[in-house]
Amino acid sequence: MIDEECTGPIGGISPRSTMKKIFFCLALLFVSTASVYSQYDPQFSQYMFHNSAFNPAAVGESDLIEVVLHPRRQWVGMDSTESVGGNILNFSINSPIKIGDGMHGAGFRFVIDEVGLFKSQNAYAQFAYKKALGSGRISLGADIGFVSVGFRGSKVLKISLGDYHRLLEDKVIPQIDASGTKFDMNVGAFYSTPVYYAGLSFNHITSPSVWWTENSEHKVRGTAYLTGGYLYTFPDNKYLLKSSGLFKTDYTTFQAELSSRLEYDNKYWGGLSYRFQDAVVFLAGLNVAGGLSIGYAFDLPTTHIESWGSHEIVMSYNFAYVFGQRSGKYKSIRIL
């Protein structure tokens, strides 16, 4: 069990040292119970550029093949030898595919998430069935793949918490590197028109459970996502205002954010997001050329967490659909 000194008063220690000790106490608490539940999915600020990262129904939304590289450095300034803040990488590729008289979507995505002593890797094959509905198109999709959750127990002894936690006496915390892999599945629905879109998805509906040792089990809690966006065109149609929102919950906690960005001449954009009780996010980016787009986000924390902020980049490359009669004309999919 976790030593009670982890939650006791802390004195004579610098605030930054105190924050790091508290962080590790909480991290170790996650593995010091017979059964652990936690919000599993990583945070991304530029969600509006990568809907297929959390909703499989969003694959194949354009007439182009899309490749997205989406890295994030979380909580800079809380660095330690164990990467307290976290490094996240989300990679995906998806394409429209023709089946009979209809166009559908298929893709693949891979996620690496490293925070402290934890490392997760997920891989999914994605498919979406699409059908015209009203002024837009409705999509129903699914991800099928696996989650792999690991704990670097061999590095536990290298963490010094002073007298606040006697790690060697906690038999539940793995003292060796441990990992486990389980089948996973996500489902979603997505409706889009030239002016607005809305999506609903449920991730980890199988609630996969990974055992590291006979005493340590990690349960991946399911998460629901609700997202939407709207496009406003100014009288000077070179200017577009694209607003979006994202709400997610694991049915115990929730997170919500609102975003808005101004785009000029289908090339440059800048904007702001607000993640409730967490951060203000500054957005900027450009469509470079030939289907290549680059976006950057900086998260400025609004809480008492001792961090300089988080950095995130999203790079996407869109090229012509080569399996049919599609032309080579570039069409930006940066809708909304």
Side-chain angles (χ1 to χ4, degrees):
M1 59 180 291
I2 284 289
D3 196 297
E4 292 179 357
E5 289 176 280
C6 244
T7 58
I10 300 176
I13 304 174
S14 70
R16 184 169 295 278
S17 177
T18 298
M19 177 61 71
K20 289 185 177 181
K21 292 180 184 296
I22 292 174
F23 182 92
F24 278 115
C25 282
L26 292 174
L28 292 171
L29 177 62
F30 285 147
V31 298
S32 296
T33 56
S35 181
V36 176
Y37 294 86
S38 64
Q39 184 164 302
Y40 180 76
D41 292 343
Q43 172 65 49
F44 285 103
S45 296
Q46 298 176 91
Y47 62 90
M48 68 290 292
F49 297 130
H50 203 180
N51 281 294
S52 63
F54 56 88
N55 189 333
V59 299
E61 276 298 291
S62 104
D63 290 336
L64 305 171
I65 298 174
E66 177 189 40
V67 180
V68 181
L69 185 65
H70 198 166
R72 178 179 175 89
R73 182 71 176 94
Q74 181 84 9
W75 292 340
V76 175
M78 289 188 66
D79 299 68
S80 76
T81 56
E82 308 305 332
S83 299
V84 174
N87 292 297
I88 306 165
L89 176 65
N90 198 334
F91 170 82
S92 71
I93 179 170
N94 69 83
S95 170
I97 58 173
K98 188 171 184 178
I99 301 178
D101 295 330
M103 295 300 296
H104 306 288
F108 171 84
R109 71 181 179 97
F110 182 74
V111 184
I112 300 176
D113 183 11
E114 297 183 2
V115 179
L117 299 180
F118 299 87
K119 181 175 181 178
S120 302
Q121 299 181 77
N122 309 340
Y124 300 97
Q126 303 180 286
F127 180 79
Y129 169 81
K130 301 180 182 294
K131 186 175 180 62
L133 179 65
S135 59
R137 182 169 60 183
I138 184 73
S139 302
L140 302 175
D143 284 346
I144 297 178
F146 68 85
V147 296
S148 176
V149 187
F151 182 75
R152 293 181 288 179
S154 62
K155 295 192 176 184
V156 168
L157 299 182
K158 296 181 181 179
I159 300 174
S160 175
L161 297 182
D163 296 328
Y164 297 98
H165 186 68
R166 293 187 287 272
L167 296 178
L168 289 175
E169 296 181 11
D170 199 329
K171 303 302 182 182
V172 178
I173 297 175
Q175 301 296 313
I176 61 173
D177 291 350
S179 64
T181 302
K182 282 296 181 68
F183 171 80
D184 194 24
M185 185 174 180
N186 313 314
V187 296
F190 197 82
Y191 182 73
S192 62
T193 75
V195 178
Y196 65 89
Y197 72 86
L200 176 65
S201 58
F202 297 90
N203 287 0
H204 318 300
I205 62 174
T206 57
S207 297
S209 178
V210 173
W211 283 93
W212 290 325
T213 69
E214 62 181 10
N215 297 317
S216 302
E217 179 189 19
H218 184 94
K219 286 183 176 291
V220 178
R221 185 184 293 275
T223 304
Y225 290 82
L226 177 64
T227 189
Y230 182 81
L231 169 65
Y232 175 78
T233 303
F234 290 92
D236 181 349
N237 58 18
K238 285 189 175 182
Y239 291 93
L240 304 174
L241 183 65
K242 300 180 178 182
S243 300
S244 58
L246 177 67
F247 176 87
K248 63 180 180 180
T249 178
D250 62 0
Y251 314 106
T252 299
T253 60
F254 74 91
Q255 191 172 78
E257 55 192 292
L258 294 174
S259 310
S260 189
R261 70 187 193 280
L262 184 66
E263 184 175 293
Y264 173 71
D265 200 23
N266 195 36
K267 189 169 185 179
Y268 309 100
W269 68 81
L272 290 172
S273 290
Y274 177 65
R275 188 176 305 122
F276 290 96
Q277 298 182 342
D278 183 60
V280 174
V281 182
F282 300 88
L283 304 168
L286 72 159
N287 293 317
V288 181
L292 177 64
S293 298
I294 300 176
Y296 170 75
F298 173 72
D299 294 22
L300 181 64
T302 57
T303 64
H304 294 296
I305 190 169
E306 290 194 12
S307 167
W308 303 329
S310 302
H311 301 278
E312 181 181 307
I313 295 173
V314 59
M315 295 179 288
S316 65
Y317 178 59
N318 304 276
F319 54 97
Y321 185 60
V322 298
F323 304 111
Q325 68 278 11
R326 303 293 176 183
S327 71
K329 181 180 179 181
Y330 168 67
K331 173 186 175 184
S332 172
I333 63 163
R334 299 278 73 90
I335 62 167
L336 311 186

